[in-house]
Amino acid sequence: MELEKVFTVHVKILETFELRNTEDDSVVMITFTGDVTGKYFEGIVLNGGVDTQVIGKGGDRHSLSARYMLQGEDFTGQSCEIYIENNGNINKKLKSSLFRTSPTIITNSTALSFLNSDILVGEGKATDTGLDIIIYRVSTS
């Protein structure tokens, strides 16, 4: 099994909203935009992207669920949109990244239609300017 990089989402955080709870789970909602680079797609993150994080009372759990829409061009030069639902968990044991996710993608690009059904893996990495989300496709060849 190999991972092939599909594209990288360069996240630009806009606003953060917090619900702090001393008795139970807490919630953080982060709105964001950004741009996307990669061999299969180049474009932008449309306004309205949000990452919702639920943090367990004792800090033992930290899940994330992000939903956002991309607009740009696929590798054939055709205009298209991509919707991403990205769910995962923060894992303090990871050395090379902050978290891993299981993205689900829906696109109207014929050339990228393989993303609608391929097994995908996401990885979040801190950068000097914020956060990069790298989306990989799993290749079993």
Side-chain angles (χ1 to χ4, degrees):
M1 180 172 68
E2 294 180 19
L3 295 178
E4 176 190 16
K5 187 187 291 188
V6 177
F7 52 73
T8 301
V9 180
H10 309 283
V11 174
K12 292 182 180 73
I13 294 172
L14 298 175
E15 291 186 272
T16 301
F17 305 95
E18 295 185 45
L19 180 157
R20 293 186 186 267
N21 188 351
T22 57
E23 302 298 318
D24 209 340
D25 294 348
S26 295
V27 179
V28 178
M29 293 182 75
I30 303 164
T31 62
F32 62 93
T33 188
D35 60 283
V36 185
T37 58
K39 77 178 197 177
Y40 290 107
F41 179 84
E42 299 272 334
I44 60 168
V45 179
L46 296 174
N47 288 338
V50 64
D51 176 23
T52 304
Q53 300 182 14
V54 177
I55 302 132
K57 178 181 175 184
D60 56 334
R61 292 175 289 107
H62 192 149
S63 65
L64 58 92
S65 181
R67 289 169 177 77
Y68 47 104
M69 188 90 68
L70 312 178
Q71 184 177 57
E73 290 186 358
D74 65 26
F75 65 94
T76 69
Q78 294 297 306
S79 294
C80 66
E81 289 80 33
I82 297 174
Y83 166 77
I84 300 176
E85 181 175 334
N86 214 357
N87 297 302
N89 293 289
I90 304 289
N91 187 337
K92 296 176 184 175
K93 295 178 184 177
L94 293 174
K95 303 272 190 248
S96 63
S97 61
L98 299 171
F99 56 84
R100 291 209 178 103
T101 61
S102 300
T104 301
I105 288 182
I106 300 170
T107 182
N108 58 4
S109 165
T110 302
L112 296 177
S113 63
F114 62 89
L115 295 174
N116 294 328
S117 58
D118 275 4
I119 298 171
L120 304 170
V121 176
E123 196 169 52
K125 296 185 181 245
T127 67
D128 292 340
T129 58
L131 178 72
D132 280 356
I133 311 243
I134 304 158
I135 306 291
Y136 301 93
R137 69 192 284 217
V138 176
S139 171
T140 55
S141 55

